[in-house]
C-alpha cells in the first residue's frame, strides 16, 4: 500500500473516530437517555446481543440488494445496447424509462407487493426499478460517446457492427459503466429498504427495515440505531467494492482513476 | 525490410485516385471546397498545401470515403469509393491526431486493423513487430498510449497505418504536432518507405518546406472559399537528403509556393 492510499484511508477513518468519540462524550456528559439517543457503546452492545436476529436481517437485506443490483445491471446494459443500435427505439422508449425514474418507489411498491406473492421477488422488483435508471442512462451515454476519430477509423477499416460494439463502444463505455454501478449499488440498497418498509411483512423473511419498524413500535432506539449502522455498513461496503472493481478493470488506462479523486 | 512486405507493382498504370469535379458544401451551408479535379497515379507522392480552413482535410476525407462529395465523383483504382473497399487495394489513413484506443497497449493498437481483418495473431504480431521497428518504437510494444509522448503516439498511429501494407496512404498533417528535428527524421523515413513499397501518398500539410522536401507534386490550395489554386511539380530526384533542404533549388521552390499562396490569399480578400 503506498502513501497516497494510506492517506485516503486514514483521513476519513480519523474523522469517523473523532465524531464517534464526540457523540459518546456528549451522550455521557449530558446524560441523554438511551430511548432518545443511545451512545455508540450502547449501540454496539445492542448490536452484539441481538446479533442472531440482526445478522439474519442483514443477510436478507444484502440478498435483496445484490439480487436487484445484478438484475438492474444486466437488464440496464441490455436495454442500453438496444438503444444505441437504433435511435428510433431510444426515442420511442426513453420517455418511459424516465417515467420509471420519476415515479416514487413508495407509490408503486404496494401494488407490486399485492401482485406478487413471493416476498423476495416482489422486493427485488421494487429495488430493481430504483436502481436501473442510472445504468440505462449512463451506459447509453457511454456507448455513444466514442471518440469521433476512432469511430471514423473503424469505419475506414470496414468494421462490422458487432466489431464496433465490442471493440470500441463497450471499452469506451466502461468508465460510465463503473460510475453507474457505484450509483446503482447505493440505489439498490435504498430500494431494498424502502420496499421492505412498505411491505412491512413479518415471518422468517425479514430484513433490516423490518427490524427498524419493530424497534420503532417497541421504542427500542438502540436496536434502531444498530440496524441503521448495519444498513450504512452495507452501503459503504458496496460502494468500496465497486470502486475497487473499477480500479482493477480500468484503473490502468482511465485518467480519473489515475488522479485518485472521487 | 523483408521482401514479403513489398506489394506487387503490377497495377502501376491504374490511377490510385481520381477526383472528378468533386465539391463539398457542408449541411450548414459552408462551402468547404469548390469543384476539384485531381489525378494521383499509383506510386505518386502528392502534398496538399494551404492555410487553415482551405478544405485540405475535407478533400482527404472525401478521398478516404469518410465524407461524400455534395457534387462530382471520386474514384479509387477506377472504382467508385463506395465499392473500392472490396478491391484488393488497401488504404490507410493517418489522422491529424493519434486517435489510439487508450485501453490497449501499443501492440494491440497497431494490431487492430489486422484483427478486424481476421489475420491470425502469430502472423499479426510478426507484422506489428516489423512496423514498430520501422517507426523506432520496438521497445514500447507493451506501453499504454498515455505513457508515450505526443510524438511517439503519432508514430504508433503511423505504424497502425503501415501495418496493413497499404497501396494508398492518406496522411492529415501527421507531423504537425512534432518538433522540427523529429519531423525531419520522420519525413526522411516516410520517403524511404514510400520508395521501397511503391506506395501512393497524399500528404496534407501547411508547411511549405515539408511539402517541397517530400513531394513530387504540391497541390496549392486557398481558403474562403476552399479551392485548388495550382499544382507545382518538384523536379528533384530521390533520394532527397538534408543537403536538398539547404540548396538554392529548395529555396526557389519554397519561394514559388509562397508566392502562389500569397496571391491566392489576396484573391480571397478581394472577393470578400
Ligand atoms: N463538419 C463540418 N461542418 C461544417 N463545416 C465544416 C465541417 N468540417 C469542416 N468545415 C468547414 O470547412 C472548411 C474546410 O475545413 P477543413 O477541415 O477541410 O480545413 P483544413 O484545410 O483541413 O484546415 P486545417 O489546416 O485547420 O486542418 C472550414 O471552413 C470549416 O469550417
Ligand atoms: Mg485539417
Amino acid at each position: 500500500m503506498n502513501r497516497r492510499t494510506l492517506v485516503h484511508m486514514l483521513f476519513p477513518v480519523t474523522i469517523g473516530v473523532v465524531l464517534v468519540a464526540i457523540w459518546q462524550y456528549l451522550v455521557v456528559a449530558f446524560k441523554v437517555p438511551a430511548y432518545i439517543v443511545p451512545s455508540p457503546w450502547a449501540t454496539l452492545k445492542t448490536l452484539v446481543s441481538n446479533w442472531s436476529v440482526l445478522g439474519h436481517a442483514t443477510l436478507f437485506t444484502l440478498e435483496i440488494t445484490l439480487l436487484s443490483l445484478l438484475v438492474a445491471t444486466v437488464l440496464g446494459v441490455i436495454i442500453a445496447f438496444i438503444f444505441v443500435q437504433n435511435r428510433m427505439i431510444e426515442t420511442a422508449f426513453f420517455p418511459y424509462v424516465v417515467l420509471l425514474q420519476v415515479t416514487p418507489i413508495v407509490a408503486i411498491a404496494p401494488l407490486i407487493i399485492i401482485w406478487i406473492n413471493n416476498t423476495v421477488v416482489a422486493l427485488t422488483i421494487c429495488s430493481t426499478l430504483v436502481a436501473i435508471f442510472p445504468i440505462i442512462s449512463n451506459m447509453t451515454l457511454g456507448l455513444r460517446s466514442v471518440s469521433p476519430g476512432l469511430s471514423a477509423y473503424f469505419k475506414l477499416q470496414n468494421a462490422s457492427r458487432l466489431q464496433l460494439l465490442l471493440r470500441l463502444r463497450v471499452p469506451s463505455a466502461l468508465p460510465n459503466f463503473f460510475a453507474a454501478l457505484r450509483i446503482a449499488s447505493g440505489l439498490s440498497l435504498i430500494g431494498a429498504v424502502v420496499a421492505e418498509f412498505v411491505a412491512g411483512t413479518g415471518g422468517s423473511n425479514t430484513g433490516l427495515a423490518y427490524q427498524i419498524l419493530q424497534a420503532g413500535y417497541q421504542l427500542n432506539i438502540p436496536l434502531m440505531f444498530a440496524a441503521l449502522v448495519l444498513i450504512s455498513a452495507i452501503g459503504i461496503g458496496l460502494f468500496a467494492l465497486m470502486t475497487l472493481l473499477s480500479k482493477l478493470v480500468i484503473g490502468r488506462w482511465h485518467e480519473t482513476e489515475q488522479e485518485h479523486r472521487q | 525490410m523483408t521482401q514479403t512486405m513489398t506489394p506487387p507493382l503490377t497495377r502501376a498504370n491504374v490511377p490510385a485516385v481520381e477526383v472528378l469535379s468533386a465539391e463539398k458544401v457542408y449541411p450548414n451551408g459552408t462551402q468547404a471546397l469548390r469543384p476539384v479535379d485531381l489525378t494521383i497515379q499509383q506510386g505518386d507522392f502528392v502534398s496538399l498545401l494551404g492555410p487553415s480552413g482551405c478544405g485540405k482535410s475535407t478533400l482527404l476525407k472525401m478521398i478516404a470515403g469518410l465524407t461524400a462529395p455534395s457534387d462530382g465523383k471520386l474514384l479509387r483504382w477506377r472504382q467508385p469509393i463506395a465499392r473500392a473497399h472490396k478491391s484488393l487495394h488497401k488504404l490507410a489513413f493517418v489522422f491529424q491526431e493519434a486517435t489510439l484506443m487508450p485501453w490497449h497497449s501499443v501492440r494491440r493498437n497497431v494490431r487492430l486493423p489486422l484483427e478486424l481483418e481476421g489475420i491470425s495473431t502469430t502472423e499479426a504480431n510478426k507484422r506489428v513487430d516489423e512496423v514498430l521497428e520501422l517507426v523506432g518504437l520496438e521497445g514500447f510494444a507493451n506501453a499504454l498510449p498515455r505513457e508515450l509522448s505526443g510524438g511517439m503516439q503519432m508514430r504508433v498511429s503511423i505504424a497502425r497505418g503501415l501495418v496493413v501494407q497499404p497501396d494508398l496512404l492518406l496522411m492529415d498533417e501527421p507531423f504537425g504536432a512534432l518538433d522540427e528535428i523529429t519531423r525531419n527524421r520522420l519525413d526522411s523515413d516516410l520517403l524511404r518507405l514510400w520508395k521501397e513499397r511503391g506506395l501512393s501518398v497524399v500528404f496534407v500539410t501547411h508547411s511549405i518546406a515539408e511539402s517541397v522536401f517530400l513531394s513530387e507534386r504540391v497541390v496549392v490550395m486557398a481558403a474562403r472559399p476552399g479551392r485548388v489554386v495550382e499544382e507545382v511539380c518538384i523536379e528533384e530526384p530521390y533520394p532527397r537528403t538534408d543537403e536538398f533542404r539547404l540548396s538554392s533549388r529548395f529555396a526557389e521552390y519554397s519561394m514559388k509556393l509562397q508566392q502562389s499562396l500569397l496571391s491566392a490569399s489576396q484573391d480571397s480578400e478581394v472577393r470578400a
Side-chain angles (χ1 to χ4, degrees):
Chain A
M1 196 188 287
N2 64 26
R3 213 173 140 259
R4 276 181 83 173
T5 8
L6 202 71
V7 166
H8 270 257
M9 304 266 289
L10 210 60
F11 277 31
V13 170
T14 314
I15 301 270
V17 169
V18 169
L19 285 179
V20 169
I22 293 174
W23 171 12
Q24 175 79 29
Y25 170 79
L26 289 177
V27 170
V28 174
F30 292 93
K31 295 196 173 63
V32 182
Y35 56 82
I36 306 229
V37 180
S39 69
W41 181 241
T43 307
L44 189 68
K45 275 201 300 199
T46 316
L47 205 161
V48 172
S49 61
N50 290 283
W51 183 246
S52 58
V53 182
L54 286 177
H56 202 263
T58 306
L59 275 182
F60 181 79
T61 301
L62 191 63
E63 182 193 335
I64 302 287
T65 306
L66 289 179
L67 261 178
S68 61
L69 183 60
L70 185 74
V71 177
T73 306
V74 172
L75 272 183
V77 167
I78 291 174
I79 292 172
F81 274 178
I82 295 171
F83 277 3
V84 294
Q85 289 310 306
N86 189 328
R87 278 265 181 206
M88 295 292 283
I89 299 178
E90 187 185 351
T91 315
F93 284 95
F94 199 75
Y96 299 98
V97 176
V98 175
L99 192 73
L100 209 73
Q101 158 75 359
V102 297
T103 312
I105 187 64
V106 223
I108 31 176
L111 203 58
I112 292 169
I113 286 158
I114 290 168
W115 281 343
I116 290 160
N117 251 332
N118 186 321
T119 323
V120 174
V121 175
L123 296 186
T124 304
I125 290 176
C126 291
S127 139
T128 301
L129 288 179
V130 181
I132 201 168
F133 182 77
I135 304 263
I136 297 176
S137 68
N138 272 32
M139 201 58 195
T140 309
L141 183 73
L143 288 169
R144 282 208 195 290
S145 61
V146 296
S147 114
L150 271 172
S151 71
Y153 182 80
F154 272 73
K155 191 181 163 199
L156 269 177
Q157 298 300 323
N158 303 305
S160 66
R161 272 175 102 88
L162 188 69
Q163 283 175 327
L164 189 73
L165 183 71
L166 295 182
R167 287 167 182 275
L168 185 58
R169 286 197 194 278
V170 169
S172 303
L174 283 180
N176 294 65
F177 172 72
F178 282 111
L181 213 53
R182 256 176 296 192
I183 301 169
S185 67
L187 287 180
S188 61
L189 176 62
I190 292 174
V193 171
V194 169
E196 205 195 351
F197 263 118
V198 176
T201 47
S204 59
N205 274 345
T206 56
L208 288 168
Y210 182 74
Q211 292 306 317
I212 289 178
L213 278 178
Q214 287 303 308
Y217 297 143
Q218 298 157 9
L219 281 181
N220 187 347
I221 308 298
L223 184 63
M224 210 183 233
F225 267 73
L228 270 176
V229 167
L230 287 170
I231 290 176
S232 306
I234 294 177
I236 293 169
L238 276 178
F239 188 87
L241 191 71
M242 297 307 147
T243 309
L244 186 73
L245 207 64
S246 152
K247 261 209 177 76
L248 285 178
V249 180
I250 59 171
R252 256 194 90 211
W253 61 269
H254 192 243
E255 283 126 24
T256 40
E257 294 299 327
Q258 298 298 324
E259 291 159 21
H260 272 263
R261 51 185 165 77
Q262 269 159 16
Chain B
M1 183 59 14
T2 56
Q3 207 54 44
T4 51
M5 292 196 71
T6 320
L9 298 169
T10 47
R11 13 180 156 85
N13 43 9
V14 179
V17 176
E18 287 164 278
V19 182
L20 308 168
S21 314
E23 63 177 304
K24 183 72 188 180
V25 180
Y26 279 106
N28 63 6
T30 317
Q31 184 164 41
L33 208 54
R34 297 213 336 221
V36 172
D37 282 288
L38 182 68
T39 305
I40 295 162
Q41 301 294 339
Q42 184 63 46
D44 280 3
F45 198 122
V46 176
S47 287
L48 308 180
L49 174 71
S52 185
C54 70
K56 304 183 296 290
S57 298
T58 303
L59 181 53
L60 204 66
K61 280 181 195 154
M62 288 200 303
I63 294 174
L66 283 174
T67 4
S70 29
D71 205 358
K73 252 199 329 192
L74 289 103
L75 304 177
R76 284 202 307 252
W77 299 288
R78 289 273 150 84
Q79 299 266 330
I81 298 284
R83 248 181 294 146
H85 74 256
K86 295 196 187 84
S87 77
L88 294 169
H89 301 271
K90 292 248 170 63
L91 168 104
F93 196 117
V94 177
F95 293 89
Q96 218 162 333
E97 297 89 30
T99 56
L100 302 174
M101 298 178 289
W103 53 87
H104 273 331
S105 65
V106 167
R107 171 180 302 286
R108 293 291 309 273
N109 266 288
V110 176
R111 206 168 68 192
L112 172 74
L114 304 180
E115 286 176 6
L116 291 176
E117 261 184 78
I119 290 172
S120 78
T121 310
T122 357
E123 160 75 8
N125 276 336
K126 216 180 87 212
R127 278 164 66 174
V128 169
D129 287 332
E130 275 172 356
V131 288
L132 282 183
E133 201 184 319
L134 205 70
V135 297
L137 287 176
E138 56 272 30
F140 293 89
N142 296 318
L144 285 173
R146 49 175 294 276
E147 295 161 355
L148 304 179
S149 73
M152 289 158 92
Q153 290 181 16
M154 213 51 225
R155 281 187 275 160
V156 175
S157 175
I158 292 165
R160 184 181 62 184
L162 294 175
V163 82
V164 300
Q165 303 178 351
D167 303 275
L168 174 61
L169 181 58
L170 306 176
M171 303 178 97
D172 194 350
E173 289 180 44
F175 310 139
L178 304 187
D179 63 284
E180 207 178 333
I181 303 162
T182 313
R183 185 177 188 154
N184 289 351
R185 223 201 63 227
L186 288 175
D187 280 349
S188 301
D189 288 350
L190 177 61
L191 280 185
R192 209 187 62 233
L193 251 159
W194 164 65
K195 268 292 170 209
E196 275 174 8
R197 303 214 183 158
L199 293 172
S200 318
V201 181
V202 185
F203 190 95
V204 168
T205 178
H206 41 219
S207 158
I208 294 176
E210 193 172 37
S211 69
V212 172
F213 182 74
L214 289 173
S215 1
E216 295 176 300
R217 256 191 306 154
V218 180
V219 176
V220 181
M221 299 176 70
R224 273 174 301 272
R227 63 191 188 277
V228 170
V229 179
E230 66 169 328
E231 285 189 27
V232 176
C233 286
I234 312 290
E235 279 148 7
E236 171 76 16
Y238 295 90
R240 294 176 183 173
T241 58
D242 283 336
E243 240 168 90
F244 174 50
R245 287 184 200 278
L246 304 169
S247 67
S248 60
R249 296 172 325 271
F250 191 90
E252 274 165 35
Y253 282 124
S254 304
M255 190 86 85
K256 189 168 174 190
L257 291 174
Q258 175 81 55
Q259 269 160 4
S260 177
L261 284 168
L262 208 65
S263 66
S265 78
Q266 278 160 358
D267 262 12
S268 304
E269 271 164 38
V270 170
R271 280 165 211 258

